[in-house]
């Protein structure tokens, strides 16, 4: 529990370091600043920035621990140079969160009007495909850092025909295929095209289809030994999720497995699940469903022997069997 003003002040000013990092990323500070210290004046000239305010930003970044200060010169830390510098994949995550920060500033609308403020994913794909692809690339980075090693699951084991439902850019399809599973990734046609590029040279088959426009997710009924539904249920309201899981069930042969990987609203640590739930309501109109709700959705779609696999919070992975 928060019980003093200092803790509260820390929380309500939490946007400040985030804004400093985002701004530095946008201005190109992390791109131009390597491990050799440079003067702020030099940097200001290169970035066309106001020298005095740039120094303030650099000082703040040094205070946070993202830059190193040497006299009146600044340099990237080894971590910053590798992860936020040129080619550093955390830049994708910074850019993704900057988009979400704008949407979070409209949370009051979400709460009062009961709908998301971000436009539906399908129209984001049409209207801003570059940003949509960058979002999926950021998800890929995050999953590689923190996602479960799903290719180690027996249900998706080598030799099994696995359907990766809403597989994005192939975050899980790639390691599953490398482990020897026969993977078919299905996603919207535009995303499927990107996935094909990303997965070139692998044995993953890619199908472009709207999952809600095909009774068994774009593959013949009963043609899969297992299906993976990763980070898709939270984009959907409960009734839509059950409808999707029914279609997934149709794709799986009797005795085959469904694996659902998601973040539940009642998972920790701390407020992780609760905040993720708010984010889904801002972003998609879905929800981080509770663990109980995930179980009942799987049962409602006709799966049996549903159980949660023993991953640590916040990972929430359910498995069920098609009877
Ligand atoms: C949040 S991403 C998750 C990507 C990946 N499964 C993962 O775990 O990182 C959700 C994916 O589902 C896809 N998707 C959502 N609704 C879809 C639909 N109706 N038809 C096809 N794909 C859909 C999106 O295009 C996106 O690639």
């Amino acid at each position: 529990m928060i019980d003093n003003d200092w803790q509260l002040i820390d929380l309500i000013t939490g946007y400040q370091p985030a804004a400093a990092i985002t701004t530095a990323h946008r201005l190109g500070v992390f791109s131009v600043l390597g491990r050799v210290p440079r003067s702020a004046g030099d940097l200001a000239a290169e970035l066309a920035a106001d020298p005095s305010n740039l120094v303030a930003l650099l000082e703040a970044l040094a205070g946070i621990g993202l830059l190193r200060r040497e006299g009146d010169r600044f340099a990237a830390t080894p971590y910053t140079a590798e992860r936020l510098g040129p080619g550093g994949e955390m830049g994708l995550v910074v850019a993704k969160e900057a988009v979400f920060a704008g949407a979070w500033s409209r949370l009051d609308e979400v709460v009062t009007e009961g709908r998301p403020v971000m436009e539906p994913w399908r129209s984001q794909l049409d209207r801003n495909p570059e940003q949509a692809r960058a979002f999926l690339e950021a998800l890929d980075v995050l999953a590689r850092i923190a996602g479960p090693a799903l290719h180690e699951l027996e249900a998706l084991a080598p030799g099994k025909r696995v359907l990766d439902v809403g597989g994005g850019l192939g975050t899980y399809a790639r390691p599953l295929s490398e482990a020897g599973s026969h993977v078919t990734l299905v996603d919207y046609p535009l995303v499927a095209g990107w996935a094909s590029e990303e997965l070139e040279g692998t044995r993953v088959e890619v199908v472009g289809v709207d999952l809600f426009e095909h009774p068994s997710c774009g593959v013949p009924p009963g043609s899969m030994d297992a299906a993976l539904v990763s980070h898709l249920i939270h984009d959907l309201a409960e009734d839509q999720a059950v409808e999707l899981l029914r279609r997934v069930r149709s794709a799986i042969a009797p005795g085959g497995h469904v694996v659902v990987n998601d973040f539940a609203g009642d998972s920790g640590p701390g407020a992780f699940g609760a905040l993720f739930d708010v984010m889904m309501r801002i972003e998609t109109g879905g929800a981080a469903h509770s663990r109980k709700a995930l179980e009942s959705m799987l049962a409602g779609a006709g799966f049996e022997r549903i159980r949660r696999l023993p991953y640590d919070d916040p990972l929430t992975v359910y498995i069920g069997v098609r009877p």
Side-chain angles (χ1 to χ4, degrees):
M1 289 298 149
I2 300 294
D3 63 1
N4 73 73
D5 294 345
W6 288 111
Q7 285 177 320
L8 179 62
I9 288 166
D10 264 356
L11 287 176
I12 59 185
T13 54
Y15 68 91
Q16 292 173 0
I21 295 165
T22 303
T23 302
H25 173 74
R26 274 207 204 109
L27 292 180
V29 169
F30 301 123
S31 306
V32 301
L33 199 52
R35 295 189 196 199
V36 179
R38 290 177 65 182
S39 74
D42 187 22
L43 277 173
E46 183 167 352
L47 299 173
D50 175 76
S52 162
N53 287 354
L54 181 64
V55 171
L57 176 63
L58 298 174
E59 295 279 13
L61 292 167
I64 294 166
L66 282 174
L67 295 183
R68 189 165 58 80
R69 192 183 199 286
E70 218 173 77
D72 59 359
R73 294 180 310 152
F74 296 87
T77 66
Y79 170 80
T80 310
E82 188 190 327
R83 301 298 283 160
L84 288 168
E89 56 186 15
M90 286 305 285
L92 287 162
V93 180
V94 174
K96 163 184 162 305
E97 292 306 329
V99 172
F100 286 130
W104 272 81
S105 69
R106 297 172 60 195
L107 178 56
D108 49 348
E109 281 173 60
V110 175
V111 174
T112 53
E113 291 167 28
R115 55 180 167 74
V117 289
M118 290 185 75
E119 62 180 333
W121 176 244
R122 226 181 145 149
S123 36
Q124 289 185 46
L125 287 175
D126 289 340
R127 297 205 322 122
N128 199 344
E130 259 175 47
Q131 185 177 297
R133 184 168 182 166
F135 167 75
L136 291 175
E137 284 169 0
L139 290 193
D140 187 55
V141 173
L142 290 170
R144 276 188 279 111
I145 295 169
L150 297 175
H151 57 281
E152 291 172 358
L153 293 181
E154 209 183 314
L156 311 176
K160 295 251 166 82
R161 297 163 301 171
V162 178
L163 184 65
D164 186 5
V165 182
L169 300 183
T171 301
Y172 291 103
R174 178 188 293 276
L176 279 166
S177 168
E178 284 169 359
S181 310
H182 304 298
V183 186
T184 303
L185 180 153
V186 56
D187 209 298
Y188 281 124
L190 183 64
V191 179
W194 297 334
S196 300
E197 286 169 26
E198 299 282 339
L199 294 166
E200 209 186 312
T202 71
R203 294 179 308 128
V204 177
E205 273 188 47
V206 178
V207 175
V209 76
D210 181 336
L211 295 162
F212 284 99
E213 286 176 9
H214 192 279
S216 49
C217 300
V219 294
S223 61
M224 295 287 146
D225 298 311
L228 169 64
V229 186
S230 174
H231 290 295
L232 179 49
I233 299 291
H234 62 228
D235 288 351
L236 305 170
E238 222 164 302
D239 54 341
Q240 292 174 307
V242 172
E243 176 55 34
L244 175 75
L245 289 169
R246 284 205 184 104
R247 289 165 195 253
V248 170
R249 179 178 177 272
S250 301
I252 304 171
H257 290 87
V258 65
V259 174
V260 169
N261 173 38
D262 221 302
F263 291 134
D266 51 352
S267 70
F272 179 90
L275 288 170
F276 191 79
D277 188 28
V278 174
M279 185 154 83
M280 289 307 107
R281 287 158 198 273
I282 292 172
E283 189 198 330
T284 67
H289 304 284
S290 68
R291 287 176 168 161
K292 207 167 152 218
L294 286 169
E295 274 176 46
S296 93
M297 285 183 244
L298 280 162
F303 290 102
E304 292 180 352
R305 287 156 48 198
I306 299 156
R307 66 192 168 93
R308 187 157 79 83
L309 299 177
Y311 289 98
D312 290 339
D313 269 357
L315 301 179
T316 300
V317 182
Y318 275 95
I319 193 162
V321 176
R322 178 189 169 160

